[in-house]
């Protein structure tokens, strides 16, 4: 199908969290506010005033997961490979395989220290055709998982390296 390019705007909301917005091909704007607490709000902007929201829908973790399933997260994630943030440089979304020889097969995501070590985020795992969004630090990897990573090119490459090789001596895995 090729690469899908969508302009995603990110805004830090001091004391609140982060807002991500995008304009649809029909000209409408939608967004998600991720609060520091983890709460997410879906925002639909007013078609007559794109700076004002016409509706805000708070989502629990289960509701956010259900919405991802409704939107067919595995299809959407596969199509988002190569997404670029046109404002502040390249933002890469890539699926990284957990190969059978990976040192992290059977180990929790938190052991990778991926975010701390690379700045990239693991936002989902695709396992046997099922999308598992927002895995926590206790999520255990299995051989064959596809890990969806978001970050700079260097950050995504760093996560790929982490999942393929053990940590250097003296560092946690």
């Amino acid at each position: 199908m090729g690469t899908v390019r969508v302009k995603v705007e990110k805004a830090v909301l001091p004391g609140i969290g982060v807002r991500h917005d995008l304009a649809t091909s029909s000209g409408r704007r939608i967004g998600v506010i991720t609060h520091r607490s983890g709460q997410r709000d879906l925002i639909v902007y007013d078609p007559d005033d794109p700076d004002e929201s016409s509706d805000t829908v708070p989502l629990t973790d289960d509701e956010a997961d259900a919405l991802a399933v409704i939107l067919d997260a595995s299809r959407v994630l596969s199509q988002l490979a190569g997404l670029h943030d046109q404002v502040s440089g390249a933002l890469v979304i890539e699926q990284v395989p957990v190969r059978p020889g990976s040192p992290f097969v059977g180990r929790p995501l938190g052991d990778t220290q991926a975010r701390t070590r690379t700045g990239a985020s693991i936002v989902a795992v695709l396992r046997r055709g099922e999308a598992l969004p927002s895995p926590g630090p206790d999520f255990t990897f299995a051989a064959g998982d596809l890990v969806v990573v978001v970050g700079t090119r260097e950050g995504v490459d760093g996560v790929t390296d982490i999942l393929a090789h053990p940590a250097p001596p003296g560092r946690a895995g």
Side-chain angles (χ1 to χ4, degrees):
M1 164 162 262
T3 301
V4 175
R5 297 191 190 280
V6 178
K7 182 177 179 183
V8 177
E9 295 177 356
K10 175 182 174 183
V12 175
L13 306 174
I16 297 171
V18 178
R19 184 185 74 226
H20 290 91
D21 295 329
L22 68 92
T24 67
S25 61
S26 68
R28 294 294 307 269
R29 285 186 57 224
I30 57 174
V32 174
I33 295 176
T34 304
H35 296 263
R36 291 174 31 188
S37 67
Q39 168 69 37
R40 284 170 295 246
D41 295 330
L42 178 64
I43 305 165
V44 179
Y45 290 94
D46 186 325
D48 297 324
D49 184 355
D51 294 325
E52 292 291 325
S53 64
S54 62
D55 204 1
T56 301
V57 182
L59 299 172
T60 66
D61 287 345
D62 289 340
E63 292 163 344
D65 292 347
L67 182 58
V69 169
I70 291 168
L71 292 172
D72 192 7
S74 61
R75 186 181 73 76
V76 171
L77 290 171
S78 69
Q79 291 178 357
L80 286 176
L83 174 70
H84 291 275
D85 180 348
Q86 302 299 319
V87 176
S88 61
L91 174 66
V92 177
I93 298 179
E94 200 164 287
Q95 296 177 19
V96 177
V98 177
R99 301 198 189 282
S102 169
F104 291 99
V105 170
R107 291 180 56 197
L109 182 152
D111 284 0
T112 67
Q113 297 180 343
R115 176 114 173 116
T116 301
R117 293 167 63 186
T118 69
S121 297
I122 294 174
V123 299
V125 175
L126 305 177
R127 179 177 286 167
R128 293 185 296 277
E130 181 181 358
L132 307 167
S134 304
D138 295 332
F139 177 87
T140 302
F141 291 112
D145 284 348
L146 287 175
V147 178
V148 181
V149 183
V150 178
T152 63
R153 174 80 268 151
E154 296 79 18
V156 171
D157 288 347
V159 173
T160 301
D161 188 56
I162 288 168
L163 291 175
H165 304 96
R171 289 187 71 176

